[in-house]
């Protein structure tokens, strides 16, 4: 049943089509396909009208797997099969579950069928959150249920913000609820315990009684009396909202002072470049030194900067001071410049001096695409759109959601996976955890863009990806709207050696697959440079534009590139069957090879040509193999590969030689004096030194490997619960 719900929004592509990838720059969204040949491809396209359907499906995941409806308990996460449930949650899990389910309840009311199951669950979850996390002796809320007592009962600003906002939302869903005292407890914790009246800003955390004197065994990378960006920004937002709700100017004044501290002390500038807000500072705003292999306090973390931008936008809404909006916009520009992956799309987790960062320098970890980070950036982009009315932010939202829905949604069992690598692949079981928090923030991100009522355009494609003068160039997109689409068209500019023409192409609805619109540019001359926008309007006259997109038409004058990839076995001996493996690269990418062959000879014999067999694809390269058979020890094989493409371009590889080794000889048994020397019973200095040195080198190598694996496992474990170490603000 769940699988049917999950697949509700999927359209299977009826044709193979290339991807035009937009770059993201507020000054103009242009993507040169010459620079993005490694574009991402998928066999599935998601119906944009299904944003709401995906939101509802994520809500069903929470109700069916990640909560206890009878008592309102929210669980932390589950494995990909929902066979293992992690019961001990953080307060943030409650917050995002309450937010997501409350949003779906409001949707059900608008649809005319209020879903009482959702409203009841929100009410019960809010009461359960208070029961589990509200401190009975001191103001404020604890962090989680899984840490040691002192750590889980600490008071952190982000946690108080989440608790306050969750209770406000629950009251809106159920008017019979009154959490006034519980909300004020969270705010008093911010003002009386966590606010630094001397330096401004909110402390990273205190003990449950407000003390800044923590036990030595309570280890945190950053000083507890310092200021960490996520907790500071979330606390600021809560104080502004509480100031309005309770008419208390003190709350607003503390919010203003804390925001001033963030602006004055946490901006990350390096060699004249602005990168956004750094992760942490000390009490007075100075630098924080961390240990080896610890996350630098200078990093610019994507989702934490989303919180900072939200704080600036909240301040702008309450004060009308355009300075806050300007800084929010410049911060978003900095994130787009450095934290956005221009090659594969999506947001890096964190960046230091403009480069993806990981304290252990594990390349794969640097490029992780955490699902929560993508959603948190979507939420702040939506806030930017709602304030500025710039549809650029909506298009950014669509670009991100297209990637997440096609790569990080579990099509088998439902739910959003925790994370993928740079290629958006979910490689391990630890990455396939379904966190309640991620489902909740996903519900809001998806429903929010749907609620705009815009005729949303996505999946803009050209086919072929790198067209030639002889190719008919197809263009297509997905365009759908709850009010119905009236018209979809392309507005293009074509530059051929300085001669510029402009035109409009109306895209027709595909008769077989709903929501897909397509047409053709026809054939264009060599060197044509085309920039185009895609427009759509709905039946109510509301317009939306996607773009701009860019491609170049090139004649195929490029020879195939051939490279030796592997030799099997790597050190062939007499009697081994020898297999050679080559790769070929063709540009334009869709150009075809007529032949791919190997020229080879043994010793002084003559060259023989044999066709190789295509076996697989590696990125943009084709992989070819040939089996040469068995040879004797001492034989020398000389060889090179050649390929001819359909345009007549001929390419050759470098020239290679391979010598076949003889069979391994049996080792002559050691004589008595050699055995005695090995155990150190007689003097044999040369042999003894070599033996001891080789053993030490082996031991050191094994230690190095084990340490590296331990660091990787530790980093993976940190990825499994980023909520404890950084990304999930306030957990």
């Amino acid at each position: 049943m769940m699988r049917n719900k999950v697949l509700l929004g999927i359209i299977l592509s009826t044709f193979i089509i290339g991807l035009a990838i937009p770059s993201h720059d507020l000054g103009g969204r242009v993507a040169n396909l010459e620079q993005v040949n490694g574009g991402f491809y998928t066999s599935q396209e998601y119906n944009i009208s299904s944003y709401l359907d995906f939101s509802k499906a994520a809500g069903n995941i929470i109700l069916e797997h990640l909560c206890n409806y009878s008592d309102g308990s929210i669980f932390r996460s589950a494995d990909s099969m929902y066979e293992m449930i992690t019961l001990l949650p953080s307060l943030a899990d409650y917050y995002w579950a309450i937010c997501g389910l409350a949003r779906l309840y409001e949707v059900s009311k608008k649809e005319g069928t209020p879903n009482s199951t959702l409203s009841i669950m929100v009410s019960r979850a809010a009461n359960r959150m208070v029961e589990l996390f509200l401190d009975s002796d001191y103001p404020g809320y604890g962090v989680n249920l899984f840490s040691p007592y002192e750590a889980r009962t600490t008071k952190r600003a982000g946690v108080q913000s989440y608790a306050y906002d969750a209770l406000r939302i629950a009251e809106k869903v159920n008017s019979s609820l009154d959490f006034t005292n519980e909300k004020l407890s969270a705010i008093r914790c911010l003002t009386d315990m966590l606010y630094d009246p001397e330096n401004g800003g909110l402390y990273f955390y205190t003990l449950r009684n407000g003390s800044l004197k923590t036990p030595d065994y309570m280890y945190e990378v950053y000083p507890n009396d310092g200021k960490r960006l996520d907790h500071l920004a979330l606390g600021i937002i809560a104080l502004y909202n509480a100031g309005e709700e309770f008419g208390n100017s003190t709350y607003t004044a503390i919010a203003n002072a804390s925001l001033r501290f963030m602006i004055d002390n946490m901006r990350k500038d390096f060699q004249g470049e602005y990168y956004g807000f750094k992760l942490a500072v000390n009490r007075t705003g100075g630098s924080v030194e961390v240990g080896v292999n610890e996350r630098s306090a200078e990093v610019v973390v994507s989702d934490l900067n989303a919180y900072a931008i939200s704080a600036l936008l909240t301040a702008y809404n309450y004060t009308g001071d355009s300075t806050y909006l300007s800084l929010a916009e410049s911060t978003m520009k900095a994130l787009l410049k450095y934290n956005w992956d221009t090659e594969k799309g999506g947001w890096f987790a964190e960046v230091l001096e403009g480069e993806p960062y990981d304290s252990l320098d594990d390349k794969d970890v640097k490029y992780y695409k955490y699902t929560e980070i993508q959603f948190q950036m979507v939420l702040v982009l939506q806030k930017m759109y709602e304030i500025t009315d710039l549809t650029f932010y909506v298009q950014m939202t669509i670009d991100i959601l297209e990637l997440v829905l096609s790569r990080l949604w579990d099509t088998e069992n439902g739910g959003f996976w925790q994370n993928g690598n740079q290629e958006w692949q979910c490689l391990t079981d630890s990455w396939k955890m379904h966190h309640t928090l991620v489902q909740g923030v996903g519900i809001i991100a998806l429903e929010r863009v749907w609620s705009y009522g815009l005729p949303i355009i996505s999946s803009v494609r050209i086919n072929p990806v790198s067209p030639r003068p002889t190719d008919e160039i197809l263009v297509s997109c997905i365009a759908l709207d709850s009010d119905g689409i009236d018209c979809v068209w392309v507005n293009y500019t074509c530059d051929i050696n300085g001669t510029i023409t402009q035109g409009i192409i109306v895209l027709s609805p595909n008769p077989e697959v709903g929501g897909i619109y397509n047409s053709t540019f026809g054939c264009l001359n060599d060197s044509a440079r085309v920039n185009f926008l895609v427009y759509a309007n709905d039946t109510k006259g509301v317009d939306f534009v996607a773009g701009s997109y860019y491609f170049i038409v090139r004649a195929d004058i490029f020879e195939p590139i051939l490279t030796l990839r592997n030799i099997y076995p790597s050190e062939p001996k007499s009697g081994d069957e020898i297999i050679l493996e080559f790769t070929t690269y063709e540009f334009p990418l869709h150009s075809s090879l007529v032949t791919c062959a190997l020229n080879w000879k043994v010793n002084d014999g003559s060259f023989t040509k044999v066709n190789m067999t295509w076996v697989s694809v590696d990125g943009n390269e084709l992989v070819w193999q040939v089996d040469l058979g068995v040879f004797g020890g001492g034989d020398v094989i000389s060889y090179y590969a050649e390929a001819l493409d359909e345009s007549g371009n001929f390419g050759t590889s470098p020239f290679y030689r391979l010598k076949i080794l003889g069979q391994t000889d049996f080792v002559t048994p050691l004589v008595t004096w050699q055995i005695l020397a090995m155990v150190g019973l007689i003097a044999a200095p040369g042999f003894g030194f070599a033996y001891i040195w080789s053993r030490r080198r082996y031991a050191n190598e094994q230690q190095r490997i084990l340490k590296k694996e331990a660091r990787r496992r530790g980093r993976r474990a940190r990825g499994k619960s980023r909520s404890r170490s950084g990304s999930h603000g306030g957990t």
Side-chain angles (χ1 to χ4, degrees), residues 157 189-206 212 224-229 231-233 235-236 239 253-266 281-285:
C189 183
L190 289 173
T191 58
D192 300 350
M193 290 184 175
L194 290 164
Y195 180 60
D196 180 353
E198 182 179 353
N199 302 288
L202 301 167
Y203 297 130
F204 177 20
Y205 72 94
T206 71
L212 289 170
N224 68 314
D225 63 347
K227 315 296 161 61
R228 210 174 90 153
L229 182 61
H231 293 274
L232 179 58
I236 289 167
L239 288 166
I254 293 176
N256 286 331
S258 298
L259 186 66
R260 192 73 261 161
F261 181 93
M262 185 183 83
I263 295 172
D264 292 343
N265 297 284
M266 302 192 74
V281 295
N282 65 22
R283 181 170 185 160
T284 61

Side-chain angles (χ1 to χ4, degrees), residues 173-435:
V173 169
N174 185 347
S175 60
S176 67
L177 296 174
D178 183 1
F179 288 116
T180 301
N181 292 332
E182 291 81 0
K183 289 186 295 184
L184 286 173
S185 179
I187 300 303
R188 283 198 303 272
C189 183
L190 289 173
T191 58
D192 300 350
M193 290 184 175
L194 290 164
Y195 180 60
D196 180 353
E198 182 179 353
N199 302 288
L202 301 167
Y203 297 130
F204 177 20
Y205 72 94
T206 71
L207 293 183
R208 63 183 292 253
N209 62 359
S211 172
L212 289 170
K213 295 181 179 180
T214 59
D216 292 338
Y217 56 80
M218 267 193 66
Y219 174 71
E220 285 280 1
V221 176
Y222 316 107
N224 68 314
D225 63 347
K227 315 296 161 61
R228 210 174 90 153
L229 182 61
D230 46 348
H231 293 274
L232 179 58
L234 290 168
I236 289 167
I237 294 170
L239 288 166
Y240 275 125
N241 291 334
E244 181 184 52
E245 180 181 1
F246 296 108
N248 190 319
S249 59
T250 300
Y251 300 158
T252 305
I254 293 176
N256 286 331
S258 298
L259 186 66
R260 192 73 261 161
F261 181 93
M262 185 183 83
I263 295 172
D264 292 343
N265 297 284
M266 302 192 74
R267 287 168 54 95
K268 173 63 178 175
D269 297 283
F270 182 73
Q271 296 182 349
E273 291 279 353
Y274 174 55
Y275 293 95
F277 291 95
K278 54 190 171 185
L279 174 58
V281 295
N282 65 22
R283 181 170 185 160
T284 61
S287 298
V288 174
E289 297 296 327
V290 301
V292 177
N293 294 333
E294 298 285 5
R295 184 197 223 177
S296 169
E298 296 291 315
V299 297
V300 176
V301 185
S302 297
D303 51 336
L304 271 55
N305 270 260
Y307 303 149
I309 294 173
S310 293
L312 291 166
L313 296 177
T314 302
Y316 171 71
N317 282 334
Y318 281 123
T319 67
D321 188 341
S322 61
T323 303
Y324 298 137
L325 177 58
S326 296
L327 182 53
E329 291 177 322
S330 63
T331 303
M332 181 58 73
K333 286 182 180 179
L335 295 179
L336 284 168
K337 185 174 182 180
Y338 298 110
N339 291 46
W340 176 262
D341 185 347
T342 56
E343 181 181 354
K344 301 297 183 183
W347 298 93
F348 297 127
E350 50 202 65
V351 167
L352 183 63
E353 269 75 73
E355 295 295 329
Y357 174 79
D358 172 66
S359 56
L360 298 179
D361 200 31
D362 291 335
K363 182 178 179 181
D364 54 345
V365 176
K366 289 182 182 181
Y367 301 117
Y368 275 9
K369 299 294 171 55
Y370 290 98
T371 310
E372 185 208 346
I373 288 180
Q374 313 309 314
F375 282 144
Q376 294 287 7
M377 293 305 300
V378 164
L379 290 183
V380 77
L381 286 165
Q382 291 167 339
K383 291 177 183 176
M384 294 288 287
Y385 165 70
E386 290 162 11
I387 288 177
T388 66
D389 204 34
L390 292 175
T391 55
F392 166 81
Y393 296 118
V394 179
Q395 188 57 53
M396 271 292 302
T397 292
I398 294 168
D399 292 343
I400 298 167
L401 293 180
E402 184 177 339
L403 289 164
V404 173
L405 292 179
S406 62
R407 300 304 182 94
L408 296 177
W409 174 266
D410 183 349
T411 58
E412 293 295 321
N413 300 291
F416 290 104
W417 286 324
Q418 179 200 358
N419 107 46
N421 65 1
Q422 189 183 17
E423 305 291 334
W424 296 87
Q425 296 174 340
C426 200
L427 300 179
T428 70
D429 289 340
S430 66
W431 293 5
K432 293 183 178 181
M433 294 297 290
H434 293 154
H435 285 266

